[in-house]
Structures are given as structure tokens and as C-alpha cells.
Amino acid sequence: MSSTSSSRTGAEVVAKTLKGQGVDVVFGIVGIPVVEVAEAIIAEGIKFIGFRNEQSLSYAAGAYGYLTGRPGVCLVVSGPGVVHAMSGIVNSQINCWPMLLIGGSSHTYQEGLGSFQEFDQVKFCQSNTKYSIRPPSISQIPQFIDRAIKISMYGRPGPVYFDLPADFIQGSISFNLLNFPERKAFDPPKSLADLTSIKLAIELLSNAKRPLIIVGKGAAFARAEQGIKEFIEKTGIPFIPTPMGKGVMSDTHPLCMAAARSKALVEADVILLLGARLNWILHFGLPPKFDKNVKFIQVDIYPEEHFNNSQIQVSLFGHLSLVMTQLIENLPNSFKYPANSEYLQSLKRKVSQNLDLSNKKFQEDSIPMTYHRAYWEIKKRLPQKDLVFVSEGAKTMDLARTIFDMHEPRCRLDAGTFGTMGIGIGSAIAGFDLKTYNSIPINNLPSTALLPNVRYDLIADAAGGKGYFVRTPKELGDALDDALLKLLEYKCVVINVMVQPQSEKTGFAWVESTKPKL
């Protein structure tokens, strides 16, 4: 049913609401019953990026939410479309990224009759979203989308689901009966930490013999990089980033001890957690990776996260950028961790030793290439800024974390807290759309599950992009030089790199309780 000058279809109401909420891109797959929704979205001037797989588009929406701080929006068909998009929903839930999934559904008057792709999608999504809802009527679509977007962003971010029946999409309503909520603010409300707790945290850090700061993915999402940089440089406390916390502070900063991660963790007596959770990525904060007497100070926006695993001595509940301001304002003028302390000097020596070992591996000339040699050829050519780096695959991701330096926040996307394989293409598309310049996915090609010489590069050629198949360091270097020079022309680039199957042990046993390597 098409609209008249005095009426709007449900599809048009959805599109106009999204536009009013500041949505500028939607990732989707069109089909029954959401074709009209996609067309209305395009008519509103919102960019629609079409996919061929719901799993990939849901990963793109999640990554977009992380990179922008606003919910990434995706549109899928009913039944199987919603089921397939659940991968991205759960990935966003575990990573705490804002995301809005809009799913078409069967006609309301056909429920229980075995209608086309009939499925209780609202119930299906409830356990893995912050909010799963079907609006009671077309007239209430704007209010419920507004509520869903706010819930996705407020508190700890996460995914939400909005169910859209076919008869709502095709039905119409008088424009005079519609009330579109005014978008009053870009960001959710922010809170400060308790001042008494701030002073306790400062006291604990001041008395620490071996303090350490861990910068997590939450710090990147909170856009707290300026406050964190000021705090670290004022206090002189060394830091390490989590994998997606890389870039909040430059990896080449003199106080970055990432190359001595194991030593830093096990020797620290007081640790300040900035947007980092004591989950598997940080070995739950437990021995033998950490000292049994270590004291934690945790800054997090989610109260229930405090005291989740290891005992937290000081809990700072609040928005990270504001809490950093509080910490800075309450620092004593005399507080400066001594640069000549044996602890800090020993960490710097370990960093130097480990970097020397890596540099030797970069020079290996065997064919097929080792991971280290392939990465060295890539690292030499990548720009240090204006790059979204997407890394997945166990060996690829773990080694890339230690080799590629990041200098800007929110510019590294990997398998994340959920350890999700297959996020590469969706994340790269989200990054490319947002940055509109360099987004290079680095893929994992071991022989564990894949045959050697599979021509993934030809996929790019078939899609109108550019593919490269490389076996030697020179071929890899030449391909990178050409790709970086002509990336905007090619749009889509795949560099298929042949490396030695199982050529190197990474040494990353994330879940095992092995002894720390000092």
C-alpha cells in the first residue's frame, strides 16, 4: 500500500524515525517482507549497504556501533533472516556494543496459522538483547524505536531487537496521528564516581611499589583517550592495552609495556583497570598470571561488573572520561612514579629484549614465508594513522597484536571478547564506510582447516575489486604498495598470502593456567 500526502506507510514511519534519530547508514538484506522498508530508508537519504549474508551484516552493524558510539542498525527478513543475524547480536552483547536489529515478521492476523516464516522472534531475541519488542501499532513505531535506541546506548551498551510485522510495514496511518520523538541529545547521560572512592584509588596508587594501568576496549568506546594520556603522563605509571584497547595510547609510548605483558601482569602490586574486564582475556585476574596479593582498582560503567571475579579493592562506578577527570583533579602535586625504579627499568629491559627477538624473526627468508616475515612486509608499508586494522584468526590475531603498532583509538577490530571468527569482512566494511579510506582485513590462512593455494583473491576480482596472490616477501611488498596507492580506486582489496602451515607457535594459551613467561 502506498502512502498519500496525508498518510504514511509503516515502512515510511520506520525510515522517518530512523532519520530523525540521526541514523545515517543501515546494513541489510532485502526480501519479503522488508523490501518497502529498505526503499523507504533510501528515500529518506539514509545510506543502505546491501549484503548477501545476515551474519556478516550483523557483524558490520556491531562494529559500526563500537566505532561510532551510536547503535549500528541492520535490517533483515523474517524467520531465518533473524536467526542468521543472531551471531552479530550475541557478538555485540558480549562485547557491549550498541546495535539495533530490525526484523520483518509475518502478518499479525496470521499468527498461529503457519504463515510464511512464522517465528516468535521477539522471544527468540530476548535472552541475548537488552530489549526485544514489537510495537503494539503503527502509530507507536516512533516511540518504540526511540526507546530501543536509548536502551541500546544507556548504561552498558548492547543490542536491541525491533520486530516489524508485514501488515505494519504495508499498512498506513494518518500523518497527523504520528508523534516523532525529538532527538534531544547525541550521547546518553554520564555519571561521576563517588569522590570518597576516587581518593581511595589515588591513595592506593600513591602507595604502590609496582603500579600498572590496563587500558581496555571500554576506554576506546568511552572516548577517554585524552584523560587517560594526561593521567598516565602526569603519574608516570606504566600501562599495557588489551587487544582492542590498543591505540588509546600509542603502542610506541615510552610507558607502554605491551611487549613485556606477562612480566608486567605478574609483578604488579596495584592495577588500575580502565574499561577492562577481568575475564579470560586478562586471565580472570588470578594467579599464576597475577600476583596473589595484587590490588585492583576498577573503573566501569556497569555496577555488576565490579567484584565479578577477583576481589576489587576500589570500585569506581561512572563514565570513564569523567572519572579520569576526577582522578586527575585529585592527584597530589607530588605524585609521580619514579622513572628510575627497578620495577619500571626491568620492564623496559624486557620490552627491549622481546622486540629484539621479534626483529630477528622479521628477517627470515624461507619460502613459504613465516608469519613474522609476512607481517614485517605489511608493517613497513601500512600508514600509522587513518587506518582501520581488522584482524581475526587465532594465530593471525595473536601475532598481529604483538607486531602491529596502533597509534589511534578505535582503529583495531578483532575477534573481541566473544572470540568470534568470521567478523573480518563485516568489520572491514563498517570501518571502510566510516573512514572512507583505508580498511585492510588481514586473514588467517593456516592448513589446519583450509587447503593451501585456495584463491580467495579471485573473490575480489569477481566483485569488481582487486585480488593479489603472493608467495614471497617481494610479491607481498609489491602487492601492498599497489593496493595502498590505489585503494580508493579498487574499493575492495584481498591480499592472499601463502605462509608456512603451522610454521610458528604463538605462545598464547589464553585459557590455560600456565606459568607466566618472564
Side-chain angles (χ1 to χ4, degrees), residues 374-392:
Y375 279 176
W376 173 241
E377 295 300 325
I378 297 170
K379 181 178 180 177
K380 288 189 297 185
R381 291 166 172 83
L382 289 185
Q384 292 196 351
K385 294 187 175 182
D386 295 342
L387 175 80
V388 177
F389 186 93
V390 183
S391 177
E392 63 161 315

Side-chain angles (χ1 to χ4, degrees), residues 96 130 151-158 277 300-302 305:
C96 309
K130 294 183 68 179
I151 290 174
S152 180
M153 296 173 61
Y154 283 28
R156 171 176 278 181
R277 293 180 278 174
D300 202 283
I301 199 171
Y302 187 63
E305 186 61 44

Side-chain angles (χ1 to χ4, degrees), residues 247-266:
V248 173
M249 290 284 290
S250 172
D251 286 337
T252 56
H253 192 281
L255 289 172
C256 181
M257 302 297 138
R261 180 182 186 273
S262 293
K263 181 178 175 66
L265 291 179
V266 77

Side-chain angles (χ1 to χ4, degrees), residues 49-51 56 424-426 428-433 436-442 455-469 479-480 482-496:
I49 300 179
F51 279 71
S56 188
I425 298 300
I429 290 173
F432 187 86
D433 180 74
T436 66
Y437 30 68
N438 302 323
S439 182
I440 299 182
I442 307 297
R455 298 299 300 273
Y456 298 99
D457 50 296
L458 297 180
I459 297 175
D461 293 335
K466 178 66 175 179
Y468 304 85
F469 183 72
L480 281 161
D482 185 62
L484 290 170
L485 184 65
K486 302 177 181 177
L487 187 59
L488 291 180
E489 174 188 341
Y490 293 149
K491 300 295 184 185
C492 170
V493 171
V494 174
I495 302 177
N496 193 0

Side-chain angles (χ1 to χ4, degrees), residues 334-351:
S334 59
F335 183 19
K336 184 76 173 182
Y337 187 71
N340 61 352
S341 72
E342 175 55 27
Y343 167 66
L344 184 53
Q345 291 304 312
S346 68
L347 287 178
K348 289 187 174 183
R349 288 194 296 270
K350 188 63 176 178
V351 167

Side-chain angles (χ1 to χ4, degrees), residues 9-20 37 40-41 44 46 75 102 141-142 145 162 164 168-169 180:
T9 65
E12 291 171 329
V13 173
V14 170
K16 183 173 178 59
T17 303
L18 292 175
K19 183 70 172 181
V37 180
I41 285 170
E44 279 288 346
I46 300 172
L75 175 69
I102 301 175
I141 286 175
I145 288 181
F162 189 83
L164 201 55
F168 284 22
I169 294 171
F180 293 94

Side-chain angles (χ1 to χ4, degrees), residues 297-455:
I297 303 164
Q298 185 171 31
V299 184
D300 202 283
I301 199 171
Y302 187 63
E304 287 81 353
E305 186 61 44
H306 300 282
F307 314 104
N308 189 35
N309 284 318
S310 294
Q311 180 69 25
I312 304 296
Q313 271 64 39
V314 181
S315 171
L316 299 177
F317 167 57
H319 192 275
L320 187 53
S321 61
L322 297 184
V323 175
M324 293 313 302
T325 300
Q326 288 180 285
L327 288 170
I328 292 167
E329 290 175 347
N330 285 275
L331 276 176
N333 293 331
S334 59
F335 183 19
K336 184 76 173 182
Y337 187 71
N340 61 352
S341 72
E342 175 55 27
Y343 167 66
L344 184 53
Q345 291 304 312
S346 68
L347 287 178
K348 289 187 174 183
R349 288 194 296 270
K350 188 63 176 178
V351 167
S352 180
Q353 292 170 8
N354 287 343
L355 291 180
D356 286 344
L357 289 174
S358 292
N359 288 333
K360 291 178 181 177
K361 293 181 180 181
F362 292 154
Q363 308 309 317
E364 296 177 3
D365 290 326
S366 57
I367 302 297
M369 289 177 283
T370 64
Y371 276 87
H372 278 85
R373 181 55 190 267
Y375 279 176
W376 173 241
E377 295 300 325
I378 297 170
K379 181 178 180 177
K380 288 189 297 185
R381 291 166 172 83
L382 289 185
Q384 292 196 351
K385 294 187 175 182
D386 295 342
L387 175 80
V388 177
F389 186 93
V390 183
S391 177
E392 63 161 315
K395 183 172 290 188
T396 300
M397 183 173 61
D398 288 338
L399 283 175
R401 175 178 59 82
T402 66
I403 293 172
F404 291 96
D405 296 323
M406 304 306 297
H407 306 282
E408 295 180 302
R410 298 170 296 280
C411 287
R412 185 180 190 275
L413 295 166
D414 63 20
T417 309
F418 202 38
T420 307
M421 299 296 105
I423 54 91
I425 298 300
S427 295
I429 290 173
F432 187 86
D433 180 74
L434 184 65
K435 292 285 189 178
T436 66
Y437 30 68
N438 302 323
S439 182
I440 299 182
I442 307 297
N443 197 23
N444 190 30
L445 299 174
S447 64
T448 317
L450 302 173
L451 293 172
N453 299 319
V454 176
R455 298 299 300 273

Side-chain angles (χ1 to χ4, degrees), residues 102-132:
I102 301 175
S105 60
S106 53
H107 294 78
T108 56
Y109 57 83
Q110 292 180 348
E111 285 186 355
L113 302 180
S115 61
F116 177 68
Q117 295 183 337
E118 182 180 352
F119 184 52
D120 190 346
Q121 295 159 189
V122 173
K123 184 177 180 180
F124 176 70
C125 292
Q126 278 176 347
S127 62
N128 294 297
T129 58
K130 294 183 68 179
Y131 185 61
S132 181

